[in-house]
Amino acid sequence: MDFAALPLPDRLLIAHRGTAYFARRLAELTDDELDGETLLPGWTRRHLAAHVGYNAAALCRLLDWAASGVETPMYDSPEQRSQEIEEGATLPPAAIRNLVTHTAARLSERWRNIPPSAWDALVRTAQGRTVPASETAWMRTREVWIHAVDLGNGGRFGDFPDVVLDGLLTDVVNLWRARDRGAGLFLCVDGRPPVEVRESEPITTRVSGSAAAVTRWATGRGAVGVDVEGSVTPPPWL
Ligand code: ZN
C-alpha cells in the first residue's frame, strides 16, 4: 500500500492519529520522567518533545510558504534547528507539553485552511528536497509515529498503520540506495515480496520478520522480534 496514493484527507487523518499517539505516550510520562533517555543518543524526552513541537511549527512555515508564495524555510540553518531544540529542552515541563499541543493545533489549522490550489505549490524541506505542500502530511506522519516509539515508554511499531510501515521502509531503502549503503542486505517482510537493497551485490545479511519488526530494525530502533542473519546493525538512513 502506498501512502502517497491515498486521498489527501486519509493522509492527514493518519498524521493526526500519529500526533494523538505521540501525545498519549507523552501524557503517560510524569514531569520527572521527561528527564529520562530516549532511543535517540544524546536526547532526553525533553529534547524529543521540544523537537516534535518545533517540527510542527516548521511544517506550518512550509504551508505558509505554499499559501503565500513568500519563501519561509523550515529552519534558518541546521545550527538554528539544533539550538532551538537545546533551548526548548530547558523549558519547564508544562511549557514543553504546551509547545507540543499548541504547535500541533496550529499545524492542523493550517492544513484545514490552506487554499486547495496551494497543496501542489512547491516548497523545500530541511534536507533540501523540493516537494509539494501536500508532502507535509507524510513528513509529519513519519515524525510523530517514530518519535512516539523513541520516547521509550511503550510506543510500538506494531501499533502503526500498515501504510505507515510500508512508507517508512520504502523511504529507508531509497535513502540507503541514494547514499550507496546497504550492500548485501536482503529484507524479507512477512507477506510482502522480498527486497534486495543493492541488486547485483552478494547477500551478506538477511533480515526477516513482520513489517513492524523489519521496519523498526531498518530505522535503527533495535532488533525487536526480527530475525537477523549477518550484521546486526543497519546502515544509517538519515
Ligand atoms: Zn524528528
Side-chain angles (χ1 to χ4, degrees), residues 168-179:
L168 283 169
L169 195 56
T170 301
D171 273 12
V172 172
V173 170
N174 287 341
L175 285 162
W176 281 339
R177 285 173 174 161
R179 291 162 164 76

Side-chain angles (χ1 to χ4, degrees), residues 195-218:
V195 176
E196 204 176 333
V197 176
R198 305 284 297 285
E199 281 161 29
S200 81
E201 305 263 358
I203 292 166
T204 52
T205 301
R206 205 176 278 270
V207 180
S208 27
S210 65
V214 174
T215 305
R216 176 172 186 138
W217 179 84

Side-chain angles (χ1 to χ4, degrees), residues 68-80:
S68 69
V70 178
E71 182 170 329
T72 43
M74 292 180 71
Y75 306 102
D76 290 339
S77 64
E79 296 73 33
Q80 180 257 321

Side-chain angles (χ1 to χ4, degrees), residues 43 48 51-52 55 81 143 147:
W43 271 13
L48 186 60
H51 161 60
V52 166
N55 167 263
R81 175 183 175 277
E143 287 292 314
H147 287 327

